[in-house]
Amino acid sequence: KAGVTQTPRYLIKTRGQQVTLSCSPISGHRSVSWYQQTPGQGLQFLFEYFSETQRNKGNFPGRFSGRQFSNSRSEMNVSTLELGDSALYLCASSLGQGMTDTQYFGPGTRLTVL
Amino acid sequence: AQKVTQAQTEISVVEKEDVTLDCVYETRDTTYYLFWYKQPPSGELVFLIRRNSFDEQNEISGRYSWNFQKSTSSFNFTITASQVVDSAVYFCALMSRDDKIIFGKGTRLHILP
């Protein structure tokens, strides 16, 4: 069974631009969660989608948004990029909703904002 | 407020030694979940264990074991007979009623050959 895939793996953008990251969950998984990892703040929860609905959201500004499609694939969008958005963005999928189900992580997308 | 503290930023041990990673958490909720994840150099987070607040039994999985003590709000992780492949960053995490997961800052573990 294929694991969680994330595209692209690396991305370089400049301040003010916007970016879209993609996550394909494990086949059959309906929940997708996104996390941001930075050296300063560590790992932080961004949001969770289940059956195309945002079920939960972390403490991030509205510039961070996401969506989930009917095939469970998810995209995360960051608008008006700031230098501080440089991070590793991790996506995780699970069968059921909520964090209580085992989450399987993808390799991440490393975003660099110049 | 909810919080996860991993006081050990970095640990180095020689291969075959046992090593314990500490995790202390804070929450006012009576129902919560605790997790451990491993992040090898490749960057992908690997799920290790999930424990709910009503189950204080210790767990052993091969060389890995976990000690959950509600009295001290700790959920420590021990690797027995460490191997070089255990080198990674290990994260402890907490989730409670709001379903938002909070991670500790992580402990970087170096297993020296």
Side-chain angles (χ1 to χ4, degrees):
Chain A
K1 207 179 213 183
V4 178
T5 58
Q6 291 187 246
T7 56
R9 293 293 311 278
Y10 301 91
L11 204 50
I12 299 176
K13 291 285 188 179
T14 56
R15 276 183 304 173
Q17 286 187 310
Q18 75 164 18
V19 67
T20 299
L21 312 182
S22 180
C23 171
S24 292
I26 292 172
S27 178
H29 284 195
R30 296 169 64 190
S31 174
V32 172
S33 298
W34 288 89
Y35 300 85
Q36 181 197 64
Q37 186 176 24
T38 60
Q41 298 299 316
L43 266 165
Q44 294 182 280
F45 168 70
L46 278 157
F47 27 64
E48 180 199 1
Y49 285 87
F50 181 80
S51 293
E52 301 178 66
T53 301
Q54 186 179 88
R55 189 180 169 276
N56 213 340
K57 191 178 191 311
N59 298 324
F60 278 82
R63 300 186 297 107
F64 291 81
S65 63
R67 59 178 175 168
Q68 187 180 33
F69 302 94
S70 57
N71 61 358
S72 293
R73 189 178 71 85
S74 177
E75 286 181 349
M76 190 192 88
N77 184 273
V78 187
S79 63
T80 320
L81 283 166
E82 300 177 0
L83 294 179
D85 296 332
S86 294
L88 178 67
Y89 290 89
L90 293 163
C91 160
S93 77
S94 59
L95 271 173
Q97 61 185 323
M99 309 293 182
T100 58
D101 206 350
T102 299
Q103 294 200 334
Y104 298 89
F105 282 80
T109 294
R110 186 163 295 281
L111 171 66
T112 301
V113 182
L114 302 176
Chain B
Q2 298 181 116
K3 190 177 177 182
V4 175
T5 302
Q6 293 180 256
Q8 304 150 309
T9 306
E10 202 157 345
I11 300 175
S12 293
V13 300
V14 177
E15 199 173 17
K16 296 184 184 174
E17 286 185 353
D18 298 348
V19 57
T20 295
L21 309 184
D22 298 333
C23 173
V24 174
Y25 62 92
E26 292 177 32
T27 180
R28 291 182 181 177
D29 293 330
T30 56
T31 302
Y32 52 89
Y33 288 82
L34 295 165
F35 306 81
W36 274 96
Y37 292 89
K38 172 183 179 181
Q39 187 174 41
S42 61
E44 198 164 325
L45 274 174
V46 177
F47 168 84
L48 295 177
I49 189 171
R50 177 180 71 245
R51 172 70 68 200
N52 75 57
S53 54
F54 298 106
D55 183 1
E56 284 194 74
Q57 280 194 342
N58 291 333
E59 182 154 340
I60 298 174
S61 176
R63 297 183 297 107
Y64 295 171
S65 63
W66 291 269
N67 180 260
F68 176 28
Q69 290 196 340
K70 285 176 77 171
S71 60
T72 55
S73 296
S74 64
F75 186 42
N76 297 337
F77 172 34
T78 298
I79 301 175
T80 303
S82 60
Q83 300 176 2
V84 173
V85 292
D86 295 327
S87 295
V89 181
Y90 291 85
F91 293 94
C92 179
L94 164 72
M95 189 206 75
S96 57
R97 270 185 313 170
D98 63 4
D99 267 359
K100 294 179 183 178
I101 193 165
I102 297 171
F103 288 89
K105 293 294 188 185
T107 296
R108 185 176 296 277
L109 177 62
H110 300 279
I111 308 297
L112 309 173

